[in-house]
Structure formats: structure tokens, C-alpha cells
Amino acid sequence: MLSYVLRRILLMVPTVFGIMLITFTVTQFVPGGPVERIIAEMESRAAAAGEVASTAGSVYQGGQGLDEERIAELKKIYGFDKPPAVRFINMMKNYLVFDFGESYYHHRKVTDLVISRLPVSMSLGLWTFVIVYLTCIPLGIRKAVRDGSRFDTFTSTVILVGYAIPGFVLAIVLIVLFGGGSFFSLFPLRGLVSDNWHELGPVAKVADYLWHMVLPVTSMTVGSLAVMTMLTKNSFLEEISKQYVLTARAKGLSENRVLYRHVFRNAIIPIITGFPGSFITAFFTGSLLIETIFSLNGMGLLAFESIMNRDYPVVLGTLYFFTIIGLVSRLLSDLSYVMVDPRITFESVER
């Protein structure tokens, strides 16, 4: 086991390095970097000042663009005066100690900026994760037991319709129905908590937070129910049709004992093995459209802003961090598969 884990960890190093190298190289050819953006802003302000001066009748000469010394100074401030290879090596050295630098756009440390956005992402991701698992596993088992019945057909139709509806469309419908759009004004529409949250008591704070989460979490959850439910159902159906289940029934065991003592521990393996990875990534889940619709400043909105504003420290820093998180969660999923299913060993996995 130890050798397998060490081998996987060593493979993470070239994987992370390759992803960062490709992304860094792409950013070198994307037009409109931070220096160009600042130059454009300064020239536009200078042009606007020129129009005002011309209207006043004075002679204006500031709209002729920035001189080379000023441009070189801007490049030095942002580190673009060095060759790309040197900048990449220095960046990776800093990333090894999780020093992601400072945001070009927000003028804050990338670490502090990400931490400030995590409460939204953690709230959306964890609540969605918990609701999906608590709903889909019992529902999938029930559908497998009653396969082909009216209950199975009805629930399949409902969850597939929910799967077909985009999350942002459902969010708009919920706002219209329950957010004061045209019918009922039952739920708040912005932020994680109310403005007077600090003045509330402990119970009122929890209730206020949960009340704010109802609409955005519902918008994200409905579309996720179908995959997990059908995975659970198909996994149980496959196990129910096996010979050992027929043998257990022939011995006179009750259906509940056969289902939950024999079938359950084998059928649940594909679902449990994805649990560690899903649980870890739930902390960093971001949804741009949901966050925008409900005025939530989370990781999805931060990623979009960073890309649009060419905020390379945020883009590359978060990519490095989340790549490591993704690789670690994948390793934990593989380890859990081996631990849960005794038929699989580390030797077979390595081959």
C-alpha cells in the first residue's frame, strides 16, 4: 500500500508541472494582459481629459500615448520585464510554499482573496453534496426494489426532467415564484446572511443562514439528483440479479435482510468510492451563474472575473491549488475502493 501511494504522489509532480506549464504558456499569447489593460485605461482617461480641455479652449497634448519609460516601469511592476522562462521558474518556486502572490485586479493576496470567497463555495457545495447523497441513495434503492412499477416510472420522469432543466433556468423560475418576482416573496435573494445577521441570536443566525441557502442550493441540487439516483438503482439491480441473492432467498431470509445485509454492502461500493473525492471537491464548488443570479461572491464568480481581467496570479494560483486538490481526491477515491472491496488489492491496482 505504501509503495502504491508513494508512486501516485510522485506521478502528481509531473502532472501538476505539465498543467501549470501549458497554462502559463497559453497566458503568454493571450492579448490584453494587465499591462495592456492599464495602458488602455490610462490612455482612455487621457483622451477624456483632452476632450474636456479642448472644450475649454486650452491646448492639450496628453493624448499622444505613454512613453516607453512609463511602459517599461509598468512591466517591471508586474514582473513582465523578465523572460517567460525565468518568470515561470520563480512562480513555481513560490507555489511550492503556497505563495501565490498578489492579485492584479483586487490588489490583495491571492490566498486571502480565495479564503474570503470560500464560505459561499463551501455552503453551496456541501449542502448540495449532503442533500444529493441523502436523497439519491434511499431513492435509488427504492427504485431498484420496485423496478418497473409506477413509482419507478414516476420518479424517473421527475428526476430526468429536473436533470434536463439548467440550474440557472431553475434559479430564475424559483426567483419568480418565491423570491418576490411575481408571486410570493418568501426567500431572500442576495448574500449568505442578512445585513443584521450580527445582531441576531444563535438560533436566529442559523435560521437566517439556512433561509438564504434554500433557493441557490435547490437550483444546484435538482440537476444533480438524476446521475446519483440512477447509479444507485443500477448498482442494486445488478447485485439483486446475482446468484448469491437467489441462494439467500432460498434459505428463507427476509427481503429486508437480503437487501440490507447482503446486497447493500456490495452494491454500495461504486457509490462509496466516489465519496472522498466528492466530499473534498464540495468545499471548492463554484457556479458562476448561480452565484451571479443570487448575488453570491464565490469561487465561480472569482474565476470568471480573474479570466476576464487577466488576473494571472489568481488564475494560475487557484489552478495550482485545485489541481493538487483534485489529484489528492482522486487518490483517496482509489484507496477507498481498495479498502471497501476486499476483492481488489493494491497489487492488482498497480498492474
Side-chain angles (χ1 to χ4, degrees), residues 115-163:
I115 291 175
S116 67
R117 300 295 184 98
L118 277 181
V120 171
S121 299
M122 291 173 62
S123 296
L124 294 176
L126 286 177
W127 281 116
T128 301
F129 170 83
V130 170
I131 293 174
V132 166
Y133 267 82
L134 291 182
T135 302
C136 293
I137 293 179
L139 180 60
I141 295 174
R142 187 67 174 173
K143 286 172 63 63
V145 173
R146 302 183 61 180
D147 182 42
S149 65
R150 291 183 179 180
F151 171 81
D152 181 38
T153 303
F154 174 76
T155 53
S156 295
T157 303
V158 172
I159 62 174
L160 289 177
V161 169
Y163 181 75

Side-chain angles (χ1 to χ4, degrees), residues 31-48 60 62-78 80 104 309-310:
V35 175
E36 291 81 359
R37 181 173 59 84
I38 292 178
I39 292 174
E41 291 177 356
M42 296 178 69
E43 289 180 345
S44 63
R45 286 198 296 265
Y60 174 75
Q64 300 175 358
L66 299 178
D67 55 69
E68 293 297 329
E69 293 182 0
R70 180 58 173 161
I71 294 176
E73 183 181 351
L74 287 173
K75 289 183 178 180
K76 185 176 181 180
I77 292 174
Y78 288 100
F80 288 96
Y104 295 156
N309 293 303
R310 306 296 191 267

Side-chain angles (χ1 to χ4, degrees), residues 188-203:
L189 298 180
R190 64 180 300 274
L192 286 178
V193 293
S194 301
D195 295 334
N196 64 336
W197 187 78
H198 295 286
E199 302 174 2
L200 302 175
V203 177

